[in-house]
Amino acid sequence: MEVRELEAIYARYVRVQRWLRVTIIGWLASVAVLVFGWAVSMALLQSGLQLFNSVFALP
């Protein structure tokens, strides 16, 4: 193999590595946002249910 071919192969390898890293980081960030949103949703649901229970318990 010539030096140019090796450089082209290495450049392609570096681009693929970068693409994979960005893809994995993006995927993990989206999962973290979904989990955080789910946790906030559950907390708001719980506090809303407690509010309704306290209102309905009033005389």
Side-chain angles (χ1 to χ4, degrees), residues 13-25:
Y13 171 74
V14 168
R15 281 194 307 268
V16 168
Q17 252 189 341
R18 187 180 314 133
W19 180 82
L20 281 174
R21 189 177 316 129
V22 168
T23 302
I24 290 171
I25 289 172

Side-chain angles (χ1 to χ4, degrees), residues 3-48:
V3 174
R4 287 184 185 178
E5 291 176 358
L6 289 175
E7 288 176 350
I9 291 171
Y10 181 71
R12 187 176 305 139
Y13 171 74
V14 168
R15 281 194 307 268
V16 168
Q17 252 189 341
R18 187 180 314 133
W19 180 82
L20 281 174
R21 189 177 316 129
V22 168
T23 302
I24 290 171
I25 289 172
W27 184 81
L28 289 175
S30 65
V31 168
V33 167
L34 286 173
V35 168
F36 179 75
W38 176 80
V40 168
S41 174
M42 290 300 108
L44 290 174
L45 178 65
Q46 183 63 29
S47 63

